[in-house]
Structure formats: structure tokens, C-alpha cells
Amino acid sequence: MKEEVKLPVTNENGYYEIRLESIGGLGANLCGKMIGELGAVFMGLNAASFSSYGSEKRGSPVKAYIRWSAQGQEIGINSPVEEPHILGLFHEALAGKLPVTAGVTEKTKVIVNTDASPMEMRKRLKLCGGEIICIDALKIAMESKTRINMVMLGAIVKASGFIPFEAAEELVRETIGKKYPNLIQENLEGLKRGYEEGKSMFFQEDGTFERVPYQEAKNKWGYANAPIGGANPRIGSTVSNDLSASREGYIPLFLQEKCINCGLCDTTCPDMVFQFKPGEYKGRPAMVNTGLDYHHCKGCLRCVDVCPTNALVKGVEREHPDLKWFVRNKDLIVDRLEYEDAGPNSWVTSESHFTEKRIDGGMV
Ligand code: SF4
Ligand code: SF4
């Protein structure tokens, strides 16, 4: 067994606790498991880690919980981490959409994957006093050809102030090296850059914002109000989900002049991103592909694979900030302002979205 690394701080139950908040597809579940293993195998601690997620689908919220205790103390609970010592936010777009900062105290170190400054993120997350660390994990992951979770792991190791970096390196070698030996260098580089490149800021409790107590998420539909037979009365699927947070730096770009309106992209896309409308193609009435609704696009790029004419190509999302302001059916955008702050490419043009809004009574 490894020599025990002393925990510098614990809660009243004797635990050091970490919570990761993410969106399916960014690797938070694996990162949580790795942090658990880091404590148990490489730091001589007792450790527990588990995740909570829904349909294991890209785009659904994911939480990972890690609990460590000293060697002599068993971990006797397996409930969610309510007041974490470290909170890792795997995507800045989570800010404001879900109560991801619930339970954060002045002792919590908040790590955010963002290219924004700590000052800006503090405002967006409405954080009271404490420490915030911003790391552009998406950019680093793309440059290092690794995944966001490796970079976030490096940032968590640094922010903790007591996890030995060598232990994390050993963990990555063991975990990734066994399965994907050819990817080991990329992952180690991602880990190192995550460790080195975070921007940290401490700020005083000043009463600008109020703390949000931890509470369990409540489902909109339960046994008492679910539709009879379990049928979903909404037209389309996942239309209320903003899937932009699931993208890992890439988006499909649409070159309309190359499109032959074959519809393959539409039948392949799992999230109804393509907006076909009655129109004309080669002088005949046809359903015409008018483009994408990036609000629903999770960046899986399956559409790029199937398009027979290269009318869809892989693009780097950050190279197209203008897409954010691209509005195809301008007259239909009645709630555009609501989405302007929701992150890059977060506009809504799909009929299915508007149908849902109408059902909710949110628009006429
Ligand atoms: S698969 Fe390509 S060519 Fe076919 S409709 Fe989609 S974008 Fe157009
Ligand atoms: S990348 Fe293509 S297939 Fe995947 S969600 Fe976006 S539009 Fe649909």
C-alpha cells in the first residue's frame, strides 16, 4: 500500500469531498472514477466515488461524487456530495442553466472549463467569496489531442494543493496506458497543461450574491403527472435541451450549394437539428435542407460522415463565432434574447421547439 497522503482539511464527518458537474459526453464519469482510484490506490486513502446520470446520452446532466477519508476511517455514507471542497464544472454553459453551484461554501475551490476570466466567471456563476480557477480545457484538449477530463483532472490536482502530481501521472499511465498505450503521451500532456495553465482568483465575501443551498434535483414528471402510457406528447425529441454544452470543440458546417437534399443527414441526426422546409430543388417542389439549429446539435459529427456530397464538413466551433448571430427565420425568434447569453451558437429556429413553447404557453 502507498504511503498515506495527509488530508489538509475535512468536513465534520472527516471526509474530503469533490463534486463534478458535467454534461454527458465530456468524460466526467470516468474522471470521477479516476479521482476515486487516485485516492485509494496512489495516495493511501479510503475512497468512494460514484456518478449520477440519466439516459447515458450525450447532453444529459452528469454529476460525479468523490469522497476520501484517512486510512483509519471508513467511509460510511454514499449520499451525494452536498458541500464540496472542490467543485469541477466541465462546461461553462452549465452556468445559469442548472443549480450547479448549489452547496458551494467559502471553502470550496471552484474549477471551471472556460476561456473566460475568473472575474467574469465569478459573476456568471454568482459566486460569493472563495476561490475560482478558470482553465480553457477545451482548447488544451484540442491542442493536445486528449479529452477535457484529463485537463480537468490536472486542474483539480493543482487546485487541491496536496494531491501529488506524480501520483496523478502514475494513475494516468496505469488507467489509460493499459487500454490505449499509444495515447499515453497526449493524455499526460493534457494532465500537465491542466495542472499548469489554470488562472486562479480569490475573492472576499461581499454580499453581492447569495449562497445557494444544496437540494436534490426534482423531476418535472413523476408517477403522479406523467402522461398515461408513458407516451411523450411533445413533437420530436430532446427539443427542450440545449445540447451546445456537449460539443467538444467541433461543429458540422453546412455548405448549402453542395446539398442535394437527399435527407441522409436528417435521418442520421439523433437530435433533429436539420431544418427541412417545403421548397424547390432543380425546378421541382421538394423538401429543402435550410440548415442546422445548433441549439440542439451535440457535435457528434455523424451527419458529416453520411453526407454524400461534402455539404457538411467538420469545423472548429470557436472559429465561427458569427454563427451565434445567424438567424434563419428571424421573424420566428420571439424569445431570442433568452438564448443570447446561453453560450456559442445557442439560437433556436426549429419548429419542434416552437411547438413545445406553445404547449407550455410560453408563446403564441
Ligand atoms: S446529407 Fe448532405 S446532401 Fe444530403 S441533405 Fe444532408 S447536407 Fe444535403
Ligand atoms: S453533429 Fe450532426 S448528427 Fe450530430 S447532433 Fe449535430 S447535426 Fe446532428
Side-chain angles (χ1 to χ4, degrees), residues 252 268-271 273-274 292 296-304:
T268 303
C269 176
D271 288 290
V273 170
F274 292 92
L292 296 80
H296 305 308
C297 174
K298 61 192 174 195
C300 66
L301 301 177
R302 287 183 211 164
C303 53
V304 172

Side-chain angles (χ1 to χ4, degrees), residues 254 258-266 274 276 289 303 306-309 311-312:
F254 181 47
K258 291 191 176 179
C259 178
I260 56 171
N261 299 306
C262 66
L264 273 176
C265 52
D266 195 34
F274 292 92
F276 278 75
N289 188 354
C303 53
V306 297
C307 179
T309 62
L312 289 162

Side-chain angles (χ1 to χ4, degrees), residues 168-180:
E169 278 188 316
E170 218 180 319
L171 167 82
V172 172
R173 275 199 196 92
E174 280 275 315
T175 318
I176 310 287
K178 267 189 195 152
K179 240 178 164 180
Y180 309 104

Side-chain angles (χ1 to χ4, degrees), residues 143-169:
E143 286 174 359
S144 305
K145 297 190 173 51
T146 180
R147 296 198 63 204
I148 286 168
N149 55 4
M150 279 304 126
V151 185
M152 289 297 286
L153 179 62
I156 289 166
V157 170
K158 178 68 178 284
S160 74
F162 69 94
I163 303 172
F165 182 68
E166 303 70 40
E169 278 188 316

Side-chain angles (χ1 to χ4, degrees), residues 272-283:
M272 303 185 72
V273 170
F274 292 92
Q275 305 300 301
F276 278 75
K277 302 256 171 354
E280 199 179 89
Y281 180 61
K282 291 194 172 173

